[in-house]
Amino acid sequence: MMKTNLPFFSLTKVVFSCLLLLAATGAVSAQGWQTWFYFGSGGDFAKNDIVDVIGYTDNLAIVVAQATGGVAGASFTLYTVAGDENLVSGQSGVNLPTGEEDELDYYPIAGVTNTADTVYVLVERTDELAAGQSLYLVKMVRVAGSVGYVMDWHKPLYDLFPDYVFGASLVKTNDGQIMALGTVTSDVTPDDDGTDMLMVKVDYDGNVLWSNIQMTLGGDRAVQIIPAADGGYWVLKENTVFLPGPTTTSWLVKTDEFGETVSETMLAGTEGDDVQDMILTADGGFAICGQTADEALYVLKIDAAGNILWRQDYTSDSYTAEGLGIIEDAQGNLVVSGSLTYLSTSIKNAFIVKLQSDGTPLWERDYPRSGNAAGFVADVFNDLTLTPAGQYLMGGARFSGSNPGTTFAYFVKTDTFGLTKGGNIRGNVFHDLDLDCTAGVDDLNLEDWVVQVSNDSLNFFGNTDAQGNYAIPVFVTNGNPVNYTVSITPLSSYWEPCVNDIPVTIDYLDTLAVDFALQAVVECSLIETHISSTNFRPCDTTEIAIDYCNIGTITSEDTYMEVELNDDLTFVTATSVPTQIMGNTYTFDLDDLAIDDCGSLMITALLACDTMLLGQASCITAHVYPDTICPVPGENWTGALLNARYTCADGNIQFEIENVGTQSMATDLQYVIIEDAVLLREGIYNLDPDQEMLPDVVPQNGSTYTLIAQQEPGAPGAELISIGADACPNEGSPELNEFAQYTGDPYSVTYCPIVVGSYDPNDKQAIPAGFGEDHGISANTPIEYTIRFQNTGTDTAFRVVIKDELSPFLDPSTLRPGPSSHPYEWYFEDQAVVFHFPNIELPDSSANLAASQGFVSFRIDQDDRLPAETRIENSAGIYFDFNAPIITNTVFHTVKEFIDIINETVVVADPSLTVNIAPNPIKDGARIWVEGLSAQSTDLHLQLFDASGKLQRTMAGDDDGFWLQRGNLPAGMYFFTISNEQGWLANGKLVVQ
């Protein structure tokens, strides 16, 4: 592969001895590793750049690097990498021929292997006392029983004084010989602009079979050569024409078996490109990488005739990038290595990027320096190869900060995601249909199940793919095996693994297989449903996505969904035609849903043209049938199931709690009713099957009322029921989102987005939003996050990636991917969840405002039993193509006890008002007074309610407020409302002791 030509140095020569290096000089980070090496004397200038990663032969990767430094002349080093392991062996310089003058220096360019024991290296040889530079081939032979190599011979390929020849590439030919490619400046080609392409064919004994200099107009720079099936060659070169002004373009040249040109094709659109590498791809075409004139990475795909199939310029407003090496993996993806430099800091990091076969980016990684690597100022990957396991090995250079110009040989081995870890735990998750706890041909692979690997201090997560496979890189270092527990969280109580919480011990660079066989505890379908959408804006359409999955243990037959839209929404269309429409309720057939089957329904709806809707909630409810709930043998659930609802009549709101289960409740449970921001009433209930409990009605006064009730322990679904009522008469208060809207029916989902006007197009939202300034939620309440994004750039975004760093107080093992605007793939990176939208082609907002937007959502549980006042924060980074991430707003919640969710003593209608209670708690009496009222406001009234909501006192106030005498009031919590002639002023609570 073509690498940047190296400068010449005037150094004297020393022969170095061979030594074994076992990752001793660099840091090993957790499936992968990184390490670096230095050959030199003390603080002397030295260069140790890796210039070529030849690839694997007999499970050994051979790597060619420079070795110049101290009092040594310029030579080269051979490293070997054993398989996927971090066993890098090398020698500190090649023994040069006896009797050569000290002034001769050797600069390695590329290498090929015949076997792992024989390596041929293309080198440039310079004479410090004379002009010119020659091209030599060096044969290295491995010492028996050793990791070192010795020189067998070195022979000239082109040595014509005073010409300068620069090596470019070395390949094995189809007929068992070797082909060298270079660029020569020669007096024997006086009719051109000074540089021409040189091809030299030699046998394995170093005998030159023929050489050919291709003379063309302008100056050529040879880049890469690939043998063709017909015995000829494909050559990539740059050509610069100097008149009327210098113009550089890339060319694909086809030669015959003797290097004579058969055809030349200029690659359109390559003006000004700095082309660096080319490979033959599995489809018979070629992939090329380099850097544009604007210093952006580019990749070009062409067919064998030189026709451009596609080109991608990966521009970024935050960094420049160059591609120096390119490979193709077994799946047809392209992986490019090189470097990127951040514009804001000038920091230069080595990086790789993985692309689909059409150039769509899958991911990119750079490798910042830290710890004992912090003393380096820049890194670069010059080349890369596939490991035997299909992962990636990169080689390049680290640039010293203390000794400018000095470089270290730099190795990084990663997994297929470009991540570096020391071990790997992988396996398969399947439905064990034959009940033998082992995988069989008839068993069913389970997708999107989460596996956790953990110990006392570390947690790693992975999700299963469509084949039920998962792979989790885990931390382990050389010589320090680590104990982990591998676990799986069943998606419902209908499932049970044959074995769970499996202890393992993993050694460095080990891969362990841990499978999970899931069996049905009860045969029953169970459909989970999630709703999300684009933003709701008046007089605009919105896209509502409803995802559904059968997480039960049998097929859900004749499945259908009823979707009820808010009165402010007008149905426009859907991806499925409704089979029935009754008012605002639309019924959709979902057919039979097999085990682990999922689907998505997309509804387009138009929001009413009413600016009064701004800031209000507009709710959507989806209910899936059949909605059978099956008892699980041995489960800690009585069979009681509580549902809640409300009705509006005669100016009042009536909440209802009903036991729709088959058994009586086991014990008393608690409920509260909240009016706007204050706890209005509380009580207990204990119901038999089909029995209802009706709390006292609350008035229809424009307030938002929320019923929160405890669900029967162990019942399916959430632990708390919470429903909001403000539809009598003012529907859509934003307070509806403060609590999850959950009736207690696990087959029913309600989603209440807030109507917005102008908005941040890239944001994050959470449901429930949480109560009050602390965004209080109860412990164990699941949170549904939605990340919205919009391409506000000036061109189409071909890739969108969202990386969400999960709070340590969330449990990734419970994460369930949710609805989205576009198809996506998802996976974990340590404590982060990543959503990748392949081939999204998101237009910019000026070209297509509606299509420029997207969203994705997911649901996740809190860590079990978080203590009160735990603050859960979450934000996400949104990546458009190769630009710096847009960081969303941070949403947060504070964990509260069940009753202490409502922790404000007083809530006022006007922030200028202050309500005082002294003393509180009350033993005999207390004074309650309002500060901030105008002098004209004297008609004050107070109503006092007990915890059940029954009115206990009505009082009129005076200039000093209210004097509340305890009298016969029993001990307990009480609630009050203060009003005047203009209406409600404040709500509050007090305690009587």
Side-chain angles (χ1 to χ4, degrees), residues 154-296:
H154 75 306
K155 297 182 179 180
L157 302 182
Y158 188 93
D159 188 8
L160 184 62
F161 177 85
D163 292 350
Y164 284 90
V165 60
F166 302 92
S169 178
L170 193 70
V171 297
K172 291 189 287 188
T173 64
N174 293 334
D175 59 354
Q177 311 295 341
I178 298 174
M179 175 61 67
L181 178 71
T183 303
V184 63
T185 61
S186 173
D187 291 337
V188 300
T189 57
D191 297 328
D192 66 358
D193 289 318
T195 59
D196 291 294
M197 184 176 72
L198 169 69
M199 298 171 62
V200 182
K201 186 175 183 181
V202 299
D203 60 23
Y204 280 122
D205 292 322
N207 300 311
V208 175
L209 302 178
W210 55 259
S211 63
N212 196 328
I213 296 177
Q214 297 279 348
M215 293 184 292
T216 59
L217 294 176
D220 284 342
R221 179 176 72 88
V223 177
Q224 186 58 274
I225 188 168
I226 295 173
D230 63 0
Y233 302 91
W234 296 101
V235 181
L236 178 67
K237 71 173 185 178
E238 277 184 357
N239 177 261
T240 301
V241 177
F242 295 94
L243 294 176
T247 302
T248 300
T249 51
S250 301
W251 291 70
L252 182 67
V253 180
K254 177 63 172 63
T255 76
D256 63 15
E257 59 182 318
F258 298 107
E260 295 295 336
T261 298
V262 175
S263 64
E264 287 186 305
T265 304
M266 187 184 75
L267 304 180
T270 60
E271 293 82 359
D273 289 346
D274 183 12
V275 62
Q276 292 290 343
D277 197 15
M278 178 177 73
I279 59 168
L280 178 69
T281 53
D283 60 4
F286 303 94
I288 296 169
C289 72
Q291 186 178 47
T292 69
D294 295 327
E295 298 186 305

Side-chain angles (χ1 to χ4, degrees), residues 98 112-113 196 217 261 295 340 375 383 433 435 463 470 496 668 714 729 731 809 866 910 917 936 957 968 976:
T98 303
V112 296
T113 60
D196 291 294
L217 294 176
T261 298
E295 298 186 305
L340 60 82
D383 202 6
L433 292 168
L435 304 180
N463 56 297
Y470 72 91
E496 183 177 56
D668 292 347
E731 184 173 6
F809 302 119
L866 290 174
D910 187 332
I917 308 170
Q936 292 79 19
N968 61 353
F976 63 83

Side-chain angles (χ1 to χ4, degrees), residues 723-798:
I723 60 171
D726 68 350
C728 317
N730 299 316
E731 184 173 6
S733 168
E735 282 80 10
L736 287 175
N737 258 341
E738 292 181 343
F739 302 95
Q741 297 298 305
Y742 177 58
T743 65
D745 184 347
Y747 285 94
S748 182
V749 176
T750 298
Y751 169 72
C752 297
I754 303 299
V755 178
V756 298
S758 59
Y759 60 92
D760 185 344
N762 298 287
D763 73 341
K764 184 163 193 177
Q765 300 177 16
I767 296 177
F771 182 83
E773 294 182 357
D774 288 341
H775 299 269
I777 58 173
S778 294
N780 302 317
T781 299
I783 303 173
E784 187 109 16
Y785 291 108
T786 297
I787 303 105
R788 294 189 173 92
F789 55 88
Q790 183 176 21
N791 177 12
T792 58
T794 59
D795 200 358
T796 299
F798 292 91

Side-chain angles (χ1 to χ4, degrees), residues 369-386:
R369 295 169 292 280
S370 61
N372 61 345
F376 295 103
V377 296
D379 298 331
V380 63
F381 289 147
N382 290 321
D383 202 6
L384 77 166
T385 192
L386 287 173

Side-chain angles (χ1 to χ4, degrees), residues 287-338:
I288 296 169
C289 72
Q291 186 178 47
T292 69
D294 295 327
E295 298 186 305
L297 166 70
Y298 81 90
V299 178
L300 186 65
K301 187 69 170 65
I302 60 177
D303 62 18
N307 299 310
I308 294 177
L309 303 178
W310 55 260
R311 174 184 173 127
Q312 292 281 11
D313 291 4
Y314 303 97
T315 58
S316 170
D317 57 7
S318 59
Y319 59 77
T320 62
E322 59 179 347
L324 300 178
I326 186 170
I327 58 173
E328 182 183 38
D329 68 13
Q331 291 72 43
N333 300 310
L334 300 174
V335 185
V336 182
S337 65

